[in-house]
Amino acid sequence: REKDDKNKTWMPKFLTAKDDKDQRKSSEDEERNIFKVKKSSADKSKKMEKEEKFFRETFMYDKEINVINTATVECSVPSKRRVDLPVTAGEQLDIIDVTEGSAVICRNAEGRYGYVLVEHLKFR
């Protein structure tokens, strides 16, 4: 076995077949694409930050935003005020905080915050 190893011809990496190089390039390209941020997701995160800033100013909310629970909307309700969150039936909402009375502060999938009456929600 030792003799076979000694007699083996040594071939540098740059002399390997082109097919192998193409495969390596494609795998490297895939790895690089992982780190690219899609423009739509970047825009979405900026929009969510803007909504959160508006929420904190409007509601004078200085606590950390934690999701207490999730709920499904039972019936569609348009918003009458800017602080109310317009909801559609079947929509999933994150419950952020409970208020005095029958309203809770919720966040929808788009990142908008607002009050929703408990009677319109179905909790899991």
Side-chain angles (χ1 to χ4, degrees):
R1 289 183 184 174
E2 292 175 10
K3 290 180 181 180
D4 293 339
D5 290 339
K6 288 181 181 177
N7 294 334
K8 239 183 189 179
T9 57
W10 178 76
M11 185 182 288
K13 286 187 179 181
F14 62 88
L15 293 178
T16 56
K18 286 187 176 184
D19 295 334
D20 294 336
K21 280 188 175 182
D22 292 339
Q23 287 178 356
R24 272 190 257 127
K25 282 184 181 179
S26 64
S27 65
E28 288 174 4
D29 291 342
E30 288 174 12
E31 290 175 20
R32 289 181 185 147
N33 289 339
I34 293 171
F35 299 108
K36 289 184 179 177
V37 177
K38 292 184 178 178
K39 188 176 182 182
S40 61
S41 63
D43 291 343
K44 193 172 187 178
S45 64
K46 283 183 182 179
K47 184 179 179 182
M48 290 184 95
E49 287 176 13
K50 184 180 176 183
E51 289 290 340
E52 183 179 336
K53 183 179 178 184
F54 178 79
F55 162 70
R56 289 188 179 279
E57 290 172 357
T58 306
F59 289 77
M60 291 182 258
Y61 196 83
D62 56 353
K63 298 185 236 174
E64 185 178 344
I65 296 175
N66 290 325
V67 177
I68 299 170
N69 201 349
T70 57
T72 306
V73 180
E74 289 185 325
C75 60
S76 298
V77 180
S79 64
K80 297 176 184 175
R81 306 175 294 169
R82 175 65 175 117
V83 293
D84 293 334
L85 184 64
V87 291
T88 56
E91 185 177 7
Q92 295 278 347
L93 298 177
D94 295 330
I95 309 299
I96 303 299
D97 203 354
V98 180
T99 62
E100 296 175 15
S102 61
V104 290
I105 299 174
C106 298
R107 176 179 61 200
N108 64 8
E110 296 171 359
R112 283 194 65 193
Y113 295 85
Y115 290 116
V116 178
L117 294 175
V118 176
E119 58 202 42
H120 300 303
L121 299 176
K122 181 178 181 182
F123 294 92
R124 292 184 176 184

